[in-house]
Amino acid sequence: GALVYQYPRRTICKSGTSMRMECQAVGFQATSVAWYRQSPQKTFELIALSTVNSAIKYEQNFTQEKFPISHPNLSFSSMTVLNAYLEDRGLYLCGARGRHNNQAPLFGEGTRLSVL
Amino acid sequence: AQSVTQPDARVTVSEGASLQLRCKYSYSATPYLFWYVQYPRQGLQLLLKYYSGDPVVQGVNGFEAEFSKSNSSFHLRKASVHWSDSAVYFCAVSMDNYAQGLTFGLGTRVSVFP
């Protein structure tokens, strides 16, 4: 079956340092990958969407300078949180879609980021 | 821009009772609609989706949802809940099924008591 794996599941970083998280699609080709953040007690905010053969599109309040994303092939994506501070803590989810029109986005278990 | 409203932040039901979770969206056309569930300390799992056709869609674990274009709604239902249905449920919309991300509602926390 189709699955999305994210790692690490949990991570802690010191304030001002950076942290990289990864997302892997298994059993399907991830032609688009979206990264979301769920801050404590909040819903999921779209950070950016990466589609094969298109530029990565960042949502308002999120920038490439802060959240650089790599989507080098149809099974892998990574995102880094640069210069992390307390407001960056939360659950980061990767949602991947395949090329078939009726496929809903599949999500990984997420990477939970704590900032000290 | 599209938006999603889930008016109930928390719902408490007894095991075996029916459940309805409300979702309304704001968008000029018919969006692609989804319900996801988040169990404690986990990511999101897809319950069901609506793209077109029959407005009542069946999902996993006995869940179903009904799309209403006139009401701009996509309510989720389950006839008889189990304690394991305790979780947070998110309604989400997308403008298309490929090149856009999802817009989520704030979620409804469901607590099922024996």
Side-chain angles (χ1 to χ4, degrees):
Chain A
L3 292 170
V4 173
Y5 289 107
Q6 284 188 255
Y7 37 92
R9 290 289 305 275
R10 290 178 175 271
T11 187
I12 302 172
C13 68
K14 290 185 177 179
S15 182
T17 64
S18 300
M19 186 277 154
R20 182 171 180 260
M21 55 193 74
E22 299 181 346
C23 172
Q24 184 160 13
V26 177
F28 71 105
Q29 294 181 320
T31 46
S32 74
V33 174
W35 286 90
Y36 300 83
R37 179 174 70 191
Q38 184 186 36
S39 300
Q41 311 304 320
K42 292 188 177 181
T43 190
F44 295 92
E45 293 179 277
L46 177 65
I47 296 171
L49 179 75
S50 172
T51 305
V52 170
N53 298 326
S54 296
I56 298 172
K57 180 183 174 187
Y58 285 82
E59 292 296 297
Q60 195 173 9
N61 301 327
F62 297 97
T63 65
Q64 183 180 4
E65 289 71 31
K66 173 71 173 179
F67 299 96
I69 289 170
S70 171
H71 188 184
N73 56 55
L74 294 176
S75 64
F76 182 81
S77 177
S78 67
M79 183 177 76
T80 301
V81 181
L82 292 175
N83 213 11
Y85 286 99
L86 194 61
E87 58 266 27
D88 295 318
R89 64 193 172 120
L91 179 67
Y92 287 81
L93 281 190
C94 158
R97 271 172 156 159
R99 61 177 73 250
H100 299 294
N101 287 339
N102 64 350
Q103 186 175 11
L106 285 180
F107 289 88
E109 294 286 314
T111 294
R112 188 167 297 280
L113 174 64
S114 299
V115 181
L116 301 179
Chain B
Q2 67 268 35
S3 65
V4 179
T5 301
Q6 292 181 248
D8 305 306
R10 291 177 177 270
V11 170
T12 301
V13 292
S14 299
E15 194 167 27
S18 63
L19 173 71
Q20 176 170 285
L21 303 181
R22 294 181 291 167
C23 172
K24 296 201 73 170
Y25 65 89
S26 173
Y27 183 55
S28 57
T30 299
Y32 294 83
L33 298 156
F34 309 87
W35 275 99
Y36 286 88
V37 60
Q38 184 182 32
Y39 296 105
R41 295 174 297 282
Q42 293 188 24
L44 291 176
Q45 297 178 27
L46 178 69
L47 285 177
L48 45 76
K49 62 182 186 287
Y50 174 80
Y51 290 164
S52 65
D54 189 337
V56 178
V57 291
Q58 303 296 321
V60 298
N61 298 335
F63 285 95
E64 67 174 27
E66 183 167 5
F67 165 66
S68 171
K69 186 173 183 178
S70 60
N71 293 324
S72 297
S73 67
F74 189 55
H75 301 330
L76 181 71
R77 301 189 294 247
K78 185 170 183 177
S80 176
V81 296
H82 187 263
W83 64 267
S84 59
D85 293 321
S86 296
V88 183
Y89 293 78
F90 291 92
C91 181
V93 304
S94 175
M95 285 192 285
D96 70 37
N97 66 338
Y98 180 73
Q100 300 291 332
L102 301 183
T103 299
F104 287 88
L106 293 179
T108 298
R109 181 176 298 278
V110 174
S111 299
V112 180
F113 288 91

